[in-house]
Amino acid sequence: MPLPLLGRLPSPGDGLWTRRLLAVAAAAAVAAPLAAGLLRLPPRDQLDPSCLVMPLFGAGWLSRRWWPRRDGRLVWRPRAAGRYSVEPGLVARRSLAGWADLVAETMRTAAVGVWLIGTLPEEPRWAALLRPLIAVGVAAAIAWVVFEEVRFTGRLALTASGIRHGRRTHGWTNIDRVIPHKQDGRVDGVRLRPARWVSLEPAPVVGGRDTAVPEDRLVAAIEHFRSRPEMLAVGLPVTAPEPAAQPAGG
């Protein structure tokens, strides 16, 4: 009796395996020395992890409230990671705030690992077993962040097959309206209102604070290509349209 497939398996011919292997190599290059370093931490009587953990959580809280100006543009790439394969498309890089959040999240994960290992006693057998498990778990969590960052081309991509934001993907055929998404009184991303609601989940949001392209440019590009996505598959450089100029005093 064949076992059911859990999710969509990647196709051997999707053109993304080189990127996957590079991402695995980068993740392993980070995980191995990190796990080794965590295993060599000094005993808890020589280490005060709270001096490291609290400032990092405070820095992460502050970074979330930092909104530097985003003025990036969608850049043409002949080979971008699309919904299912490598294809030509327009790519948006990660914003400066997005990088700050990523670094802060990674440092917080490492700090929590240091704190957990630092609180373990030296003598009991269970502590000796738990120490490598925590080290490997923290190293694996940070390695996954590195893998995800290297795995994809750009933070956001518009290709003929659809829109990709990180690992999340959305097809063109079910997009009815494209409007700026507001959260806590601030515009943060672009909402893709579906033509057919297939679930009770809210409409997906792409872009936002972690993407260098501002919402008005992203709205203009998605609106332009959602009725003609085949323009992105021609293999020739495509320029994203600029948003319409606002009238003076409007």
Side-chain angles (χ1 to χ4, degrees), residues 99-130:
W99 282 113
D101 292 345
L102 191 66
V103 171
E105 177 187 352
T106 303
M107 294 181 68
R108 286 198 302 270
T109 302
V112 169
V114 171
W115 178 77
L116 289 174
I117 292 176
T119 58
L120 293 175
E122 287 294 307
E123 295 301 329
R125 181 182 177 85
W126 63 265
L129 295 175
L130 193 57

Side-chain angles (χ1 to χ4, degrees), residues 130-178:
L130 193 57
R131 186 183 181 97
L133 290 178
I134 294 175
V136 171
V138 171
I142 294 178
W144 178 254
V145 173
V146 174
F147 174 85
E148 289 285 285
E149 195 59 36
V150 178
R151 163 76 172 77
F152 296 107
T153 311
R155 182 60 180 160
L156 182 144
L158 307 183
T159 65
S161 63
I163 302 170
R164 177 189 57 77
H165 182 201
R167 182 175 284 274
R168 293 175 290 125
T169 61
H170 313 281
W172 293 106
T173 56
N174 197 32
I175 299 177
D176 178 50
R177 292 182 59 198
V178 184

Side-chain angles (χ1 to χ4, degrees), residues 191-192 194 197 199-205:
R191 184 180 296 277
L192 309 177
W197 291 86
S199 71
L200 298 178
E201 296 182 359
V205 176

Side-chain angles (χ1 to χ4, degrees), residues 54-76:
M54 296 309 296
L56 286 177
F57 271 92
W61 183 85
L62 289 175
S63 72
R64 285 289 179 182
R65 281 146 184 81
W66 177 50
W67 286 74
R69 179 173 176 171
R70 293 178 295 135
D71 55 2
R73 286 178 168 81
L74 289 160
V75 180
W76 173 257

